[in-house]
Amino acid sequence: MASYNKLTDIFSIQSQLDCALEDSTTQQEKENLVQQYLYKIDEKEDLIIPDFEDGLEWLNTDRPLSLRKELSGKVVVLDFFTYCCINCMHLLPDLHHLEQSYSIEDGLVVVGVHSAKFPNEKILQNIRSAVLRYDITHPVVNDSDARLWQELEVSCWPTLVLLGPRGNLLFSLVGEGHRERLFLFTAAALKHYREQGLLKDHGVGIRLYRDSLPPSILSFPGKIAMDPSSKRLAIADTGHHRILVVSSTGQVLHSVGGPSSGRRDGNLSEAQFSSPQGVFIKGDTVYVADTENHLVRKINLSEGKVSTLAGTGVQGTDKEGGALGPQQPISSPWDVTLGNTGGDILWIAMAGTHQIWALFLEDGKLPKGSDSKKGTCVCFAGSGNEENRNNSYPHKAGLAQPSGLALAPTEPWKCLFIADSESSTIRSLSLKDGAVKHVVGGERDPMNLFAFGDVDGKGIDAKLQHPLGVSWNEDSSLLYVADSYNHKIKEVDPNTKQCRLLAGTGEAGNGIGPGFLESSFNEPGGLCVGEGGKLLYVADTNNHHIKVLDLETKTVSLFPIVGKPEVDSILTTATSNTPAVKKLPKLPKSAPVLTMPSITVSSGQSVTLLLKLALPTGTKLTEEAPSFWSLSAEGNEWLLEGRAVTGNIGDLSEPISIISSIPATPASPDPTLRLDAWVYYCLSKGGACMMKAVSFRQPLLIGSTSQEGSVAVTLKHAF
């Protein structure tokens, strides 16, 4: 059996390098030290590590990779990560920038080695969702049994291991915050082995999974919130880097940000976010945890503006705070909620530093704290140590990646409930005295963050698996929990500390059954109570849906998202002779495009399009999400004569008649009419709802002589 090396074999020599780098003062001195290190380590017999096991599952490649074959001749960065870990996520921007600086042809390959913490993270489909959610574009291997982790004696997430072109150990970097060293080590290794002629420029068969996916209305929605007065919902459409504000029937009223990530304040049409998670809506104001920008943002719908309330746009390490919001660095805010302790305060679940922070929207004071001025952003609870430690003094308590907040504003509660994901617990934070207390999940040892499971029970006997969301029902005094990695919704009575299953099968799925227990979810990340405590809206993250739980009838339905109002109209400008056509919504890639045989018409005639659509058996149109059609002319807008050509679809029992007239002086002899239809329908007996679309192309041949009358053509499609 071959003898392989492990990380401890380079610790002593690398520690000497690390100390020397700390004492160096110039970049050239640092580069010389690393070059000397590489020469020294090359003098040793190659420190070879074992190859990836046969049979492992790979993502973003067209075949499994081997250190001895495909990766031979490359400098390889192994990123040991698990997708629940916020510290691992903090490394991704560094790795992304590294990959932009050095290509595979330059000799660099980054490989994510996924070594799961939670059982749910061992499943390939769940890792695939995380790879999409975090926009990971390098190869990822599912080392579900952590075999390579164990053989190299990796000790924590995240750990980076740099290899030479023979699969030989060069460096290791433990934890986050080593961007400078990562770039220094990588550049030096590429230069060192390029000069020796050991680098190769071959490809490794990258094939991104995301390129094979159809578009969806939502992409990994994180959190959802409702304004009780207006009944409007705010949805963090995380994968599309935008915030949607929708009516109670799902009509999109505002879409802010997207489709790509960015960082920009200003008008709603130009604002940008980066993987926003938490949202809170009150009146015309939406507060946003702009997670990967490390910002807290404010959307003012009445003014049409987006502004930054807290954060500098760079990940912070400060664990105390106290500066005014835009000058205060913060780290991966994951949720926000509005509360009051004598002044309006925006509470922030600061996942990146394992704390709860407060942003003062007016002058105020925290329990056991000093007075703070409006705009101040300060830590309220959590030492910054990743622990499951409860304490009557908020700064001595330890949290572990808090990811969800729910305010219980009245007595006897008057607290924040916290979904503390990495400790798999639900905690409470008193707004009267700052005490952090256990509610359900976890265990008594504050250092044990592996006390997870799926068990109904009381207090410490109940077990959860990486819960991400909580929502408080003021009417029933019950707390609802998105038990994300168990794919369930749980119900907690904080008075008795009893935790029990509310909905979900426990298996990842997207089924809508006759009841709560027959319906399935896939890593639900957020939820909110609506309609006076009668409905529970769930952001079913990996299914890219919002689902609605009717707490009275115990049924589950799909919440339809209907496009913005302006997609339903074609607008013209009075100052131009050419109609200005507003951009239509993009058709799903799955929508059939049907090109009809050409028909001959003459100037002065009209074309009557008879649209006949048929739904699948056992389904009906969704009343709350009106279906619609829209007519365009593909570059020949003169055919529409500046009129709005659009309409709703409310009845499919008869053909829909759509008429377009041919002007007396046609601008071209062979235009094409395009008729697109979007149809929203549900099962007749309730349950699953869906959206389908179809596009017809009707070419016209316009004769030279003028005639009267109409030419009719039937456009038929069955979904």
Side-chain angles (χ1 to χ4, degrees):
M1 180 177 177
S3 176
Y4 294 112
N5 296 94
K6 48 191 179 292
L7 294 185
T8 51
D9 294 326
I10 64 170
F11 279 176
S12 60
I13 183 172
Q14 188 178 333
S15 63
Q16 296 174 25
L17 171 64
D18 292 336
C19 291
L21 288 172
E22 290 294 331
D23 295 334
S24 61
T25 56
T26 67
Q27 183 64 24
Q28 186 61 54
E29 187 179 354
K30 293 177 181 179
E31 292 174 2
N32 291 339
L33 286 169
V34 177
Q35 285 295 327
Q36 293 168 18
Y37 170 89
L38 288 170
Y39 281 118
K40 185 175 181 180
I41 207 167
D42 271 354
E43 291 173 357
K44 295 176 172 287
E45 184 177 349
D46 275 350
L47 299 171
I48 301 297
I49 71 166
D51 206 344
F52 301 106
E53 274 192 297
D54 291 336
L56 293 182
E57 300 162 317
W58 286 81
L59 296 171
N60 288 342
T61 65
D62 57 12
R63 60 188 181 276
L65 301 182
S66 165
L67 295 174
R68 315 291 180 243
K69 298 175 183 177
E70 293 83 1
L71 299 177
S72 176
K74 303 291 188 184
V75 170
V76 179
V77 177
L78 300 179
D79 174 26
F80 287 87
F81 78 110
T82 184
Y83 72 77
C84 70
C85 168
I86 190 67
N87 310 91
C88 299
M89 298 309 103
H90 288 164
L91 275 186
L92 291 178
D94 295 349
L95 294 175
H96 181 65
H97 188 62
L98 189 71
E99 291 174 287
Q100 288 182 320
S101 302
Y102 305 103
S103 67
I104 291 175
E105 290 72 23
D106 292 332
L108 175 71
V109 181
V110 177
V111 176
V113 184
H114 192 271
S115 308
K117 171 184 176 180
F118 293 99
N120 181 69
E121 295 179 303
K122 296 184 178 184
I123 301 169
L124 180 66
Q125 183 58 44
N126 298 336
I127 302 170
R128 182 180 285 124
S129 294
V131 166
L132 290 171
R133 190 161 65 242
Y134 296 116
D135 197 25
I136 298 173
T137 56
H138 51 251
V140 173
V141 60
N142 179 17
D143 189 11
S144 58
D145 294 327
R147 186 68 59 83
L148 190 56
W149 168 293
Q150 295 166 8
E151 289 179 328
L152 288 181
E153 296 184 358
V154 175
S155 60
C156 73
W157 301 282
T159 293
L160 298 178
V161 177
L162 277 73
L163 306 176
R166 299 180 295 273
N168 49 309
L169 272 174
L170 299 179
F171 309 94
S172 73
L173 295 166
V174 179
E176 59 174 299
H178 302 297
R179 178 169 179 157
E180 182 183 340
R181 292 281 172 92
L182 172 63
F183 276 75
L184 175 64
F185 291 167
T186 303
L190 288 169
K191 178 183 178 183
H192 178 74
Y193 290 110
R194 187 181 300 110
E195 290 174 349
Q196 295 185 28
L198 295 178
L199 293 186
K200 301 176 183 178
D201 62 0
H202 63 274
V204 297
I206 298 294
R207 187 175 66 187
L208 300 184
Y209 175 67
R210 70 182 185 190
D211 292 341
S212 65
L213 295 177
S216 59
I217 295 176
L218 297 176
S219 176
F220 300 104
K223 306 289 186 188
I224 183 169
M226 174 175 269
D227 176 29
S229 59
S230 67
K231 305 295 178 63
R232 290 184 297 182
L233 289 158
I235 301 169
D237 189 10
T238 307
H240 287 142
H241 310 285
R242 65 177 179 172
I243 304 299
L244 298 181
V245 178
V246 305
S247 70
S248 58
T249 59
Q251 181 72 45
V252 176
L253 307 174
H254 302 277
S255 175
V256 189
S260 57
S261 64
R263 176 194 166 198
R264 182 183 296 172
D265 287 341
N267 296 329
L268 300 189
S269 61
E270 61 187 17
Q272 292 180 308
F273 301 89
S274 183
S275 297
Q277 286 285 346
V279 285
F280 184 89
I281 180 170
K282 182 179 181 181
D284 283 334
T285 301
V286 183
Y287 298 99
V288 182
D290 191 8
T291 305
E292 292 192 8
N293 273 329
H294 309 288
L295 299 173
V296 173
R297 315 284 288 282
K298 175 184 176 181
I299 303 174
N300 189 317
L301 298 174
S302 59
E303 296 180 1
K305 298 288 186 182
V306 175
S307 58
T308 295
L309 296 181
T312 63
V314 177
Q315 181 192 344
T317 57
D318 185 0
K319 296 180 180 179
E320 296 181 3
L324 291 177
Q327 286 79 51
Q328 177 60 58
I330 60 177
S331 179
S332 297
W334 209 272
D335 201 7
V336 289
T337 192
L338 194 63
N340 190 294
T341 61
D344 279 348
I345 292 177
L346 189 69
W347 305 105
I348 307 166
M350 204 70 75
T353 55
H354 315 293
Q355 295 172 315
I356 306 300
W357 283 51
L359 175 63
F360 287 86
L361 302 182
E362 57 184 67
D363 293 353
K365 183 179 180 179
L366 294 174
K368 297 181 179 177
S370 56
D371 293 334
S372 292
K373 295 293 185 181
K374 177 181 178 180
T376 304
C377 191
V378 63
C379 173
F380 177 31
S383 64
N385 297 324
E386 191 174 7
E387 299 173 339
N388 176 20
R389 188 180 301 278
N390 301 299
N391 200 289
S392 58
Y393 290 91
H395 287 170
K396 292 185 178 180
L399 302 170
Q401 207 169 304
S403 301
L405 294 175
L407 177 70
T410 59
E411 298 289 357
W413 317 110
K414 205 166 181 59
C415 71
L416 289 170
F417 288 108
I418 304 167
D420 200 41
S421 60
E422 280 296 282
S423 67
S424 294
T425 64
I426 304 300
R427 323 274 285 278
S428 68
L429 171 56
S430 172
L431 298 184
K432 294 180 289 187
D433 59 15
V436 176
K437 298 179 181 179
H438 171 268
V439 181
V440 296
E443 67 139 84
R444 291 182 176 83
D445 181 358
M447 303 305 292
N448 183 4
L449 301 182
F450 287 79
F452 52 80
D454 185 9
V455 180
D456 288 355
K458 182 178 180 180
I460 210 85
D461 296 327
K463 292 292 178 281
L464 307 167
Q465 188 181 178
H466 200 76
L468 287 173
V470 281
S471 183
W472 176 246
N473 191 333
E474 186 73 17
D475 296 274
S476 63
S477 293
L478 291 174
L479 184 71
Y480 300 110
V481 178
D483 192 5
S484 304
Y485 286 7
N486 283 325
H487 314 291
K488 291 181 177 181
I489 308 301
K490 301 284 180 70
E491 182 181 80
V492 175
D493 182 344
N495 187 45
T496 62
K497 291 194 173 184
Q498 190 71 36
C499 177
R500 52 186 172 269
L501 171 64
L502 179 68
T505 64
E507 298 292 331
N510 196 22
I512 297 181
F516 282 0
L517 301 184
E518 295 80 25
S519 299
S520 54
F521 306 88
N522 193 336
E523 294 190 12
L527 29 67
C528 74
V529 172
E531 299 298 329
K534 297 177 182 177
L535 300 179
L536 184 66
Y537 296 86
V538 178
D540 195 6
T541 303
N542 285 358
N543 283 325
H544 317 293
H545 288 313
I546 303 298
K547 291 177 178 172
V548 186
L549 279 61
D550 189 316
L551 299 173
E552 293 184 336
T553 64
K554 306 298 181 185
T555 56
V556 180
S557 61
L558 195 64
F559 184 68
I561 306 292
V562 189
K564 292 188 70 174
E566 57 258 34
V567 305
D568 294 339
S569 61
I570 299 175
L571 306 180
T572 63
T573 57
T575 58
S576 172
N577 293 325
T578 304
V581 180
K582 178 153 285 199
K583 186 178 179 182
L584 294 170
K586 289 185 178 179
L587 287 167
K589 289 184 179 179
S590 59
V593 178
L594 308 177
T595 301
M596 313 302 292
S598 300
I599 59 173
T600 301
V601 294
S602 299
S603 58
Q605 284 188 314
S606 63
V607 178
T608 300
L609 304 176
L610 297 173
L611 179 62
K612 294 186 67 174
L613 301 175
L615 298 180
T617 303
T619 64
K620 63 179 181 179
L621 288 173
T622 306
E623 295 178 3
E624 297 83 0
S627 304
F628 64 95
W629 57 264
S630 186
L631 185 67
S632 59
E634 299 198 328
N636 290 282
E637 284 73 23
W638 53 268
L639 266 175
L640 306 177
E641 296 183 330
R643 296 179 295 109
V645 188
T646 187
N648 289 332
I649 301 174
D651 182 6
L652 296 180
S653 61
E654 297 291 336
I656 299 168
S657 180
I658 303 162
I659 300 174
S660 178
S661 298
I662 307 300
T665 55
S668 64
D670 54 354
T672 296
L673 287 171
R674 168 178 168 173
L675 181 65
D676 297 334
W678 288 261
V679 177
Y680 297 83
Y681 60 91
C682 300
L683 297 176
S684 299
K685 297 181 180 179
C689 298
M690 57 212 78
M691 185 276 283
K692 297 289 185 180
V694 62
S695 181
F696 296 93
R697 306 292 199 276
Q698 180 58 67
L700 305 178
L701 300 176
I702 300 179
S704 57
T705 59
S706 179
Q707 299 185 36
E708 296 181 352
S710 177
V711 177
V713 61
T714 300
L715 308 179
K716 184 187 299 185
H717 179 68
F719 291 104

